[in-house]
Structure formats: structure tokens, C-alpha cells
Amino acid sequence: METTRQAERQRSAAERRRRELLEAADRVVLRDGPKASMNAIAAEAGITKPILYRHFGDKGGLYRALAKRHTDALLSALRAALDAPAERRERVEATLDTYLAAIEARPQVYRFLMHPSDDAAPSPEQGFDVGRHSAPLLRRLGEELGKVIAERVDLGPDNEQMARIWGHGIVGMMHAAGDWWLGDRPCSRAQLVRSLADLLWGRLAEAGDRPGGTGF
């Protein structure tokens, strides 16, 4: 029994330390964006780089932990927008706006997660090479949105397959349009939301809700 309690205390302490390190990494990412380095994160956390490696394995491991942290928060916000007591069109616009508001509020975090360092040939101690990691993050968002659509919208006999197509298509559209908008600011966020909703609305307006589902 005492051994079990000790193991639980050690696990709890390790999880708390991991959260503290991720918070330190977040602070560096907010400051440095894609150029955030392991050296800078270790310094922010008040530890040496080998200790940081011990917790996350390598730069890729730390990136994946940060990506999960922010993707979980984004998915929670998107689900809240989808669950809001409103008409379908309003919920579609609210969901699009939630995504755009998230990347607008923390652009350095977005660039860290979605773009490699701007350096043409970064050294091992410079920015994270995160470009190759962004595709799995987008796939996760697409799969999660596809599940929501499959649960709520009646798309006919191939409902699940169609829902996955829609999920990945909508995420791809949000990502590409949001990336362009965040960089160029060609219009207001509200205008972009309305325009993207218009693009989606035709088939969404026609589809019925799944029987027994919560509606979309």
C-alpha cells in the first residue's frame, strides 16, 4: 500500500513538473514564435537542456506535447461553439470565428505550431523544424470535426465517409484561409467568417440532422 502511494506521489510530481515545463515553453513560444529553441526553454524553466530532454525526449517530443496542449484547448472551444443554443448558420459562423479568434489571439503560438523557422538553414540550436509536424495536427482536427459531423448531420448511406471528407475539407479551408488572413489581413475577421460560411452553406443548409443526435 505504501509503495502504491509513493508511486502515485511520484507520478503526480512528474506530471506537475511536466506542466510547469510546458508553461515555460509556452512563454518562450509567445516571445520567439517558430524560433523558440530548447536552450531558451531550458533557461526559462531554470534547468539545463539535458533535463528538458529527459522529460520530452527531443525537440519533436516537446513540440508534440505543446501541440496536444493547444489542440485540446482549441477542440474544446470549437465543440462549445458547435453546442451553443443557436441556429445552424450561427453555429457554423461561431465555429469558424472561434478558430480565427484563436490564431489571432496567439499568432506566435500558431506560427510555432504551423510554420518552421524562417531561417534558411537553422542550426540545431535554433528554431524547431516544425513544418513536418503540422500535418498530423491538422489531421487530428479533421478527424475530430468529422466525428462531430457524423454524429449530427444526416449525409445519407455513406454518412461516416462523407463526414470525414467534410471534416478534413473544412479544416483545410480554415487553415489555408486563416493562414493567408493572419499574414496579409486583407479583410476583417467578421468578413472572412461570413465569406467562408457562405462557401460552406449550400450543402449544409440542405442536410438534415441525424435522428437522435444533438443537431448541427
Side-chain angles (χ1 to χ4, degrees):
M1 182 66 70
E2 180 58 32
T3 302
T4 301
R5 283 197 294 267
Q6 184 178 2
E8 289 176 351
R9 286 195 296 269
Q10 290 174 342
R11 183 166 55 253
S12 177
E15 290 173 354
R16 183 171 61 253
R17 185 56 173 154
R18 184 180 175 89
R19 284 195 302 272
E20 292 170 352
L21 294 177
L22 286 173
E23 288 165 3
D26 261 344
R27 292 193 294 272
V28 174
V29 169
L30 281 169
R31 184 186 72 220
D32 298 341
K35 295 183 180 181
S37 69
M38 293 292 274
N39 281 336
I41 291 169
E44 178 69 24
I47 60 174
T48 62
K49 194 165 65 170
I51 294 176
L52 193 58
Y53 279 123
R54 191 183 308 156
H55 282 273
F56 298 101
D58 58 14
K59 289 188 289 186
L62 177 58
Y63 170 84
R64 287 188 292 274
L66 284 170
K68 184 179 187 306
R69 176 185 176 96
H70 288 286
T71 304
D72 286 349
L74 177 58
L75 283 169
S76 178
L78 292 174
R79 289 191 186 103
L82 286 167
D83 288 337
E87 295 297 320
R88 183 183 290 183
R89 171 75 188 215
E90 293 176 82
R91 291 201 305 275
V92 169
E93 292 191 1
T95 302
L96 293 167
D97 189 61
T98 295
Y99 175 82
L100 294 171
I103 67 174
E104 183 179 36
R106 307 188 82 188
Q108 288 287 63
V109 172
Y110 169 78
R111 293 184 180 106
F112 172 81
L113 293 176
M114 292 299 178
H115 292 284
S117 171
D118 290 334
D119 295 332
S123 74
E125 298 306 319
Q126 290 177 325
F128 286 80
D129 181 15
V130 300
R132 64 191 177 92
H133 294 295
S134 59
L137 191 158
L138 291 172
R139 281 200 296 271
R140 182 187 172 201
L141 287 173
E143 287 293 327
E144 291 291 335
L145 183 55
K147 289 176 185 175
V148 171
I149 294 171
E151 291 168 356
R152 301 179 182 210
V153 182
D154 184 1
L155 298 175
D158 295 326
N159 191 75
E160 289 195 12
Q161 181 178 355
M162 287 295 296
R164 290 185 74 190
I165 292 171
W166 281 28
H168 287 284
I170 292 170
V171 166
M173 181 192 73
M174 288 195 305
H175 169 60
D179 195 81
W180 163 72
W181 172 77
L182 191 64
D184 293 357
R185 296 302 177 104
C187 62
S188 69
R189 195 174 86 209
Q191 184 179 348
L192 182 60
V193 166
R194 287 193 302 271
S195 297
L196 293 179
D198 285 343
L199 183 61
L200 290 171
W201 188 239
R203 185 68 173 89
L204 267 175
E206 296 174 1
D209 288 336
R210 283 289 299 275
T214 55
F216 186 89

